[in-house]
Amino acid sequence: MTKQTTIKVLYTSDIHGSVMPINYGTNEKAELGLATYATLVQKKRQENEHMIVLDNGDLIQGTPLMAHYVKNHAEKPNPMIAIMNQIGLDAGVPGNHEFNFGKAILQDAVDQSNYPWLSANIVDEKTGKPYFGSPYIIKTLSNGVKVAITGVTTHYVPNWETPEHIQGIQFADAFTTLKEIVKEIQSNEDYDLLIALYHGGFERDMETGEVTENLTGENQAYEMADKIDGIDILLTGHQHRNVTGTIRDCLVIQPGNNGEAYGEIDVTFRWEEDRWVTATKQANVKTLEGVPADPIILKEMEELEQSTQNWLDEPIGEIQGDMIIRDPFQARVRKHPFIELVQKVQMDASGAAISVTALLGNEATGFPAKITMRDIVTNYKFPNTLVVLSLTGEDIKQALEKSAEYFTLDANGDMTVNPDYLIPKPEHYNYDMWEGIEYSIRVSNPKGSKVESITYRGKPLDMEESYDVVMNNYRASGGGDFDMFKDKPVVKEIQQDMVELISNYIEERGMIEARVTDNFSVEV
């Protein structure tokens, strides 16, 4: 009879600061977060003797709780790391959002971790060595199975991040680095299974190989699985998708976001010629439905959670008129008073006469009559700061043409969202609206010619003239394929994040009038 053994791998990705089983926007209970996942892991450990638990990045940023922690309680242990330590994580990978709070917060998180952070392609620019330590580890389980675990992070981080947050750090090509590391492991290590964690997603359809997004290098998972020999399992993330499949003989998986689901991989080995050989491997994305949160973790989180809730319920000001978003699509087609308020905040903080912003997601609800911090963090969910760029009229025209691609016409000739902004993940935040200029978009016009008019202070925009334009740091770096903004002169940087700027703006005024300046039109 052939000798056999099995191992189980559990992993999370894009937790985004979710600890508590709660939706902070509505304050309703939800089956998600690390407190719930901790219960699941404990149960799985009781059922499985040989188990590995991993995290694939974007761990520490994304909820009001973590925003409040960083602003007001950063001297205390990082709650995300404390819970991962209790769970018994074997290794983690930094995601792009790990850098959002700056190097000090990230370094504290790494220092507090009882597990290694792996990212072979993030290197110290002085030494050329991996910034977070070893590029890989070898984990030997009690059944003798040896698992090589390595990690890389999308090298697109500098296109999004504030420069000072990544000063002294280089981001090498993730695909090239992973290929080199796999060869190094193959040459130097004795192992039975090789797992690669990649904080990045798929650039092609897994079944057909057809390109599904611009090949910028942000996502390279398909190429990794298809062209790097020796990876048994590729754990992905970043795109917030629920995906399982096989590319060549590489098992691939992605388990969504916000701790709503996790990846579970089962591998069976058989004993052949004095070593373990993979017999079967299977991956599933599973939800946390029906799993209770860990009562010990809930107790430990009580003080910080209550402080967060108090902060979220603080009254900030009032709205005179109607600033509720009832239809996010219409809020992009026609000027909405919520968008006008965000533009005013950006212009007030920067002094710029032209502003760019986006409705960040379809879950945005706008502001009710009485505004609290909860309303602000629900509607503005990213820790963006502001940058004023000096742009030519031609730059502005190109950016407007890029935004105009958000719209398309359906089979009936009606205006709808371009599928490119929905698949493989929703990217509504990559459609911008402008303040301080007047413009019109004709959706039926050919790509590159959809913007029919642009004026500034009553006169046609001068294509060669320079204009100061305020936008968030993500867009200013060219994020969302707005390449026309890359490497443009920076006039000013405002280091306060937008949640703080919006709350300060409203608090100072007390009453905000819901107004609309009809400065743009989007027509069929």
Side-chain angles (χ1 to χ4, degrees):
M1 185 174 178
T2 304
K3 183 180 177 183
Q4 287 192 338
T5 191
T6 62
I7 71 167
K8 185 180 289 290
V9 179
L10 299 183
Y11 98 105
T12 47
S13 191
D14 300 86
I15 293 288
H16 282 293
S18 294
V19 176
M20 308 299 288
I22 192 171
N23 180 324
Y24 282 103
T26 61
N27 230 14
E28 295 175 352
K29 290 185 177 181
E31 295 175 310
L32 53 76
L34 279 191
T36 305
Y37 181 63
T39 301
L40 182 281
V41 175
Q42 186 178 25
K43 181 175 182 291
K44 293 290 183 180
R45 286 195 193 280
Q46 294 169 354
E47 298 170 351
N48 301 274
E49 186 179 355
H50 316 298
M51 200 165 84
I52 293 173
V53 186
L54 304 168
D55 180 72
N56 195 43
D58 279 5
L59 174 67
I60 66 174
Q61 176 277 332
T63 55
L65 181 139
M66 285 306 296
H68 182 59
Y69 162 78
V70 168
K71 287 180 179 299
N72 301 291
H73 300 282
E75 77 285 351
K76 299 176 182 176
N78 188 307
M80 305 303 293
I81 304 304
I83 296 172
M84 283 302 196
N85 286 341
Q86 291 180 51
I87 285 173
L89 208 65
D90 290 293
V93 170
N96 52 293
H97 283 287
E98 251 65 74
F99 298 88
N100 287 172
F101 293 132
K103 291 172 73 175
I105 294 294
L106 175 52
Q107 192 58 55
D108 279 349
V110 174
D111 291 344
Q112 292 170 33
S113 300
N114 294 341
Y115 55 89
W117 288 57
L118 308 173
S119 193
N121 70 312
I122 300 180
V123 300
D124 188 305
E125 67 176 10
K126 291 182 179 178
T127 66
K129 295 181 179 180
Y131 191 82
F132 295 100
S134 176
Y136 66 87
I137 60 170
I138 305 295
K139 176 82 174 178
T140 303
L141 298 173
S142 57
N143 56 358
V145 173
K146 295 180 180 179
V147 183
I149 305 169
T150 187
V152 288
T153 302
T154 175
H155 57 260
Y156 225 58
V157 175
N159 291 291
W160 306 311
E161 194 51 71
T162 302
E164 67 181 42
H165 290 178
I166 54 174
Q167 188 174 1
I169 303 174
Q170 289 183 339
F171 296 80
D173 184 277
F175 169 81
T176 303
T177 304
L178 183 57
K179 189 172 184 178
E180 292 171 352
I181 288 298
V182 168
K183 286 181 179 178
E184 181 181 333
I185 294 170
Q186 290 172 325
S187 299
N188 300 325
E189 302 294 345
D190 176 27
Y191 65 94
D192 305 302
L193 186 77
L194 196 156
I195 298 174
L197 293 129
Y198 169 48
H199 189 85
F202 296 92
E203 75 283 19
R204 296 176 183 270
D205 183 276
M206 287 198 303
E207 294 183 2
T208 66
E210 292 181 11
V211 174
T212 54
E213 60 177 60
N214 292 332
L215 299 178
T216 60
E218 175 183 350
N219 296 300
Q220 300 172 294
Y222 186 93
E223 186 180 20
M224 289 171 175
D226 187 48
K227 295 184 178 178
I228 301 178
D229 293 327
I231 301 175
D232 295 301
I233 302 169
L234 180 63
L235 308 180
T236 71
H238 185 58
Q239 292 173 315
H240 300 181
R241 299 169 65 187
N242 289 342
V243 170
T244 57
T246 302
I247 300 173
R248 288 204 307 164
D249 58 349
C250 181
L251 188 67
V252 296
I253 180 170
Q254 189 173 138
N257 62 299
N258 294 341
E260 296 176 356
Y262 64 96
E264 183 169 332
I265 301 97
D266 293 291
V267 186
T268 302
F269 299 86
R270 62 175 178 266
W271 187 255
E272 285 187 7
E273 298 178 359
D274 297 328
R275 68 174 301 110
W276 290 114
V277 176
T278 303
T280 64
K281 50 187 177 179
Q282 184 177 7
N284 292 286
V285 174
K286 297 186 176 182
T287 70
L288 293 171
E289 186 177 351
V291 179
D294 186 308
I296 296 175
I297 291 176
L298 293 182
K299 183 67 176 177
E300 291 171 347
M301 291 297 300
E302 217 169 57
E303 185 178 344
L304 179 58
E305 171 65 10
Q306 187 58 56
S307 179
T308 301
Q309 290 291 343
N310 293 342
W311 174 65
L312 286 172
D313 288 332
E314 288 177 9
I316 302 298
E318 297 181 32
I319 297 295
Q320 182 180 353
D322 186 356
M323 206 175 278
I324 299 293
I325 297 172
R326 294 174 177 83
D327 185 336
F329 181 78
Q330 290 302 321
R332 296 182 177 99
V333 171
R334 295 180 181 83
K335 185 72 165 293
H336 191 279
F338 172 77
I339 293 298
E340 181 148 325
L341 172 60
V342 175
Q343 304 279 31
K344 286 179 179 177
V345 171
Q346 294 190 169
M347 295 164 90
D348 181 75
S350 66
I354 302 176
S355 176
V356 184
T357 195
L359 186 61
L360 298 179
N362 280 358
E363 65 278 5
T365 57
F367 288 154
K370 294 187 182 297
I371 313 167
T372 65
M373 282 299 300
R374 191 183 306 278
D375 299 313
I376 296 174
V377 299
T378 299
N379 283 276
Y380 208 103
K381 59 184 179 179
F382 297 117
N384 291 331
T385 55
L386 296 179
V387 179
V388 179
L389 296 182
S390 178
L391 302 176
T392 65
E394 180 62 29
D395 294 329
I396 294 172
K397 183 179 185 303
Q398 289 182 26
L400 284 168
E401 290 288 358
K402 174 67 180 170
S403 281
E405 295 173 16
Y406 176 81
F407 300 103
T408 191
L409 300 180
D410 63 18
N412 297 320
D414 296 324
M415 193 162 29
T416 188
V417 179
N418 185 333
D420 290 346
Y421 288 77
L422 301 173
I423 303 168
K425 71 170 182 176
E427 294 184 344
H428 300 292
Y429 51 80
N430 281 332
Y431 166 70
D432 284 340
M433 290 163 279
W434 291 65
E435 189 81 23
I437 60 173
E438 300 78 37
Y439 61 96
S440 62
I441 293 173
R442 180 73 58 182
V443 177
S444 58
N445 284 355
K447 180 179 177 179
S449 304
K450 295 180 183 292
V451 181
E452 291 192 323
S453 69
I454 317 171
T455 61
Y456 175 66
R457 293 179 176 172
K459 297 180 180 179
L461 196 71
D462 189 329
M463 294 296 107
E464 297 181 359
E465 184 65 44
S466 292
Y467 302 88
D468 289 353
V469 181
V470 60
M471 62 191 74
N472 68 50
N473 60 301
Y474 170 79
R475 188 68 81 236
S477 66
D481 297 328
F482 281 77
D483 294 339
M484 71 291 299
F485 295 156
K486 286 184 178 179
D487 303 319
K488 290 299 157 71
V490 175
V491 178
K492 186 188 296 184
E493 293 184 69
I494 296 92
Q495 290 302 325
Q496 289 174 285
D497 71 39
M498 276 299 289
V499 166
E500 188 174 350
L501 290 172
I502 293 170
S503 61
N504 288 347
Y505 183 93
I506 295 171
E507 271 187 314
E508 288 171 5
R509 289 156 181 79
M511 179 72 74
I512 302 294
E513 185 180 354
R515 297 180 59 185
V516 167
T517 305
D518 287 320
N519 67 304
F520 72 85
S521 65
V522 182
E523 306 292 344
V524 173

